[in-house]
C-alpha cells in the first residue's frame, strides 16, 4: 500500500508536510506505521497548484528518501493546494507513468489501495471508457484507470457522484467476471479549487486516512497517517466517507457506490 498527503489553505512550503516533520511523508516512505508494508519505495510524485489552472507535476521512480531533487523542490515551492504520494506497487511496473499523482487538465488524483482481481477485469473496464478518455491512458495501473473512470463518469461537474459511479463500475465488472468484489479506495482528488477525498472498501479494511488543521498555513491536511504523533489534533476519517475541503471549511458525507449506468463490454 502507498502513503500520501494533501493540503489546502494559505500557501506553505511543501517541505512543511512532505519532508520536514518527524513523521513526514518522506519518513513514511521507508517507515510507515499504519500500512501493510512499512516501505513505499516504488517512486513518488507531487502535484501542486499555483498561478495556472492546471497543476505542476513532478514524478520519478527513485525511492522518495534518496532523491535530492525532491527535497530541493519541496524546500523552494510554496503552494496553497498540493498532493504528494509515495508508492508501494500492488501491480504495474515501476515507471514514471505509473507514479501518482495522475493529472488531466486541471484535475489531479492519487490513490492508496487496489482493485482486487484487476487483471481479470482490466480489459472490460478499459473497453467501457469513451474513446476520448481511453486515449488519455499512459500507464498500466489500476489507480490511473480508476481516475479515467471518474472522468468518464462526469468528474468535472459531480466529483462525489463520479467517484461513486466509477466504484460501481469496478464492483459490477468484478461480479460479471465471477469474482467477489475486492476494492480498497483511499484517494484524494482536486480541481485546483477544492480538495476531495474518499475512504471506502468493499470489506472492513479501508486504508487509513486522517485530517488535521495545519497551524503554519491555517489550512487543513489529509494524510494516510499523521506526520506528528504528539503535537497535532489528528482525527480519523470514518470508512465509507467522502470529504470535501474548501477555503470555507470541511464537510464529510456518507459514501456508497451508485448503480453503474453503462453496460460493460466483456
Amino acid at each position: 500500500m502507498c502513503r500520501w498527503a494533501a493540503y489546502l489553505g494559505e500557501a506553505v512550503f511543501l517541505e512543511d508536510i512532505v519532508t520536514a516533520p518527524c513523521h513526514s511523508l518522506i519518513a513514511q516512505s521507508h517507515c510507515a506505521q499504519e500500512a501493510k508494508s512499512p516501505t513505499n519505495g516504488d517512486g513518488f510524485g507531487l502535484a501542486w497548484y499555483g498561478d495556472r489552472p492546471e497543476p505542476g507535476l513532478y514524478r520519478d521512480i527513485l525511492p522518495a528518501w534518496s532523491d535530492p531533487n525532491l527535497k530541493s523542490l519541496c524546500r523552494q515551492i510554496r503552494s496553497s493546494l498540493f498532493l504528494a504520494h509515495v508508492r508501494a506497487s500492488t501491480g504495474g511496473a515501476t515507471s514514471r507513468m505509473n507514479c501518482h499523482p495522475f493529472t488531466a487538465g486541471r484535475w489531479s488524483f492519487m490513490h492508496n489501495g487496489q482493485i482486487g482481481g484487476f487483471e481479470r477485469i482490466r480489459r472490460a473496464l478499459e473497453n467501457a471508457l469513451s474513446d476520448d478518455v481511453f486515449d488519455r491512458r499512459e500507464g498500466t495501473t489500476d489507480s490511473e484507470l480508476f481516475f479515467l473512470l471518474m472522468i468518464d463518469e462526469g468528474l468535472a461537474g459531480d466529483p462525489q457522484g463520479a467517484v461513486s459511479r466509477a466504484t460501481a463500475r469496478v464492483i459490477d465488472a468484478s461480479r460479471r467476471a465471477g469474482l467477489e468484489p475486492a476494492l480498497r479506495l483511499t484517494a484524494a482528488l482536486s480541481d485546483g479549487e477544492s480538495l476531495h477525498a474518499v475512504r471506502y472498501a468493499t470489506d472492513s479494511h479501508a486504508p487509513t486516512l486522517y485530517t488535521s488543521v495545519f497551524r503554519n498555513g491555517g489550512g487543513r491536511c489529509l494524510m494516510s497517517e499523521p506526520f506528528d504523533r504528539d503535537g497535532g489534533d489528528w482525527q480519523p476519517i470514518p470508512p465509507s466517507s467522502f470529504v470535501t475541503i474548501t477555503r470555507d471549511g470541511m464537510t464529510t458525507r456518507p459514501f456508497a457506490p451508485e448503480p453503474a449506468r453503462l453496460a460493460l463490454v466483456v
Side-chain angles (χ1 to χ4, degrees):
M1 295 296 183
C2 308
R3 303 283 85 181
W4 60 254
Y7 169 81
L8 188 153
E10 297 299 318
V12 298
F13 287 107
L14 271 60
E15 72 169 1
D16 291 345
I17 293 171
V18 178
T19 63
C22 60
H23 195 55
S24 69
L25 194 64
I26 296 293
Q28 293 176 30
S29 71
H30 60 77
C31 190
Q33 297 178 2
E34 299 189 40
K36 187 176 181 180
S37 168
T39 304
N40 300 272
D42 296 322
F44 64 85
L46 302 170
W48 70 95
Y49 292 87
D51 295 330
R52 300 183 185 275
E54 70 277 3
L57 182 65
Y58 177 57
R59 300 183 293 181
D60 210 338
I61 62 173
L62 290 174
W65 64 80
S66 67
D67 189 325
N69 295 321
L70 174 62
K71 295 178 181 178
S72 179
L73 287 172
C74 289
R75 183 163 178 77
Q76 296 297 330
I77 295 174
R78 289 171 61 95
S79 175
S80 61
L81 174 53
F82 60 88
L83 283 63
H85 186 278
V86 291
R87 183 175 183 240
S89 175
T90 56
T94 301
S95 70
R96 284 188 181 89
M97 294 299 98
N98 285 340
C99 290
H100 310 218
F102 304 98
T103 62
R106 71 179 189 272
W107 284 94
S108 56
F109 170 79
M110 61 186 178
H111 173 220
N112 174 30
Q114 66 183 122
I115 298 174
F118 179 60
E119 292 306 320
R120 294 271 302 277
I121 63 175
R122 172 181 171 178
R123 182 176 178 182
L125 291 171
E126 289 181 339
N127 287 350
L129 293 172
S130 65
D131 290 342
D132 175 65
V133 174
F134 179 81
D135 287 343
R136 304 184 192 189
R137 181 88 150 128
E138 294 182 331
T140 60
T141 65
D142 54 352
S143 299
E144 183 196 24
L145 180 53
F146 192 88
F147 182 37
L148 297 178
L149 289 170
M150 292 192 305
I151 293 172
D152 210 42
E153 287 288 355
L155 176 62
D158 180 16
Q160 181 170 356
V163 179
S164 180
R165 291 186 291 272
T167 301
R169 281 202 195 189
V170 172
I171 292 172
D172 187 51
S174 297
R175 288 174 174 155
R176 287 171 178 258
L179 302 173
E180 182 66 25
L183 172 64
R184 292 180 181 175
L185 176 69
T186 296
L189 53 147
S190 179
D191 61 354
E193 297 293 334
S194 301
L195 174 63
H196 308 279
V198 59
R199 184 183 181 208
Y200 174 79
T202 52
D203 59 17
S204 59
H205 302 290
T208 55
L209 181 61
Y210 294 85
T211 186
S212 179
V213 173
F214 187 54
R215 299 183 300 275
N216 292 10
R220 185 170 286 275
C221 294
L222 290 165
M223 294 194 70
S224 296
E225 56 188 75
F227 63 66
D228 182 353
R229 294 291 182 179
D230 299 321
D233 182 21
W234 294 94
Q235 303 296 322
I237 300 296
S240 299
S241 294
F242 190 89
V243 176
T244 297
I245 299 175
T246 68
R247 307 287 175 180
D248 298 324
M250 185 182 86
T251 59
T252 303
R253 297 182 293 273
F255 177 84
E258 297 180 12
R261 290 189 299 113
L262 301 177
L264 291 167
V265 178
V266 296

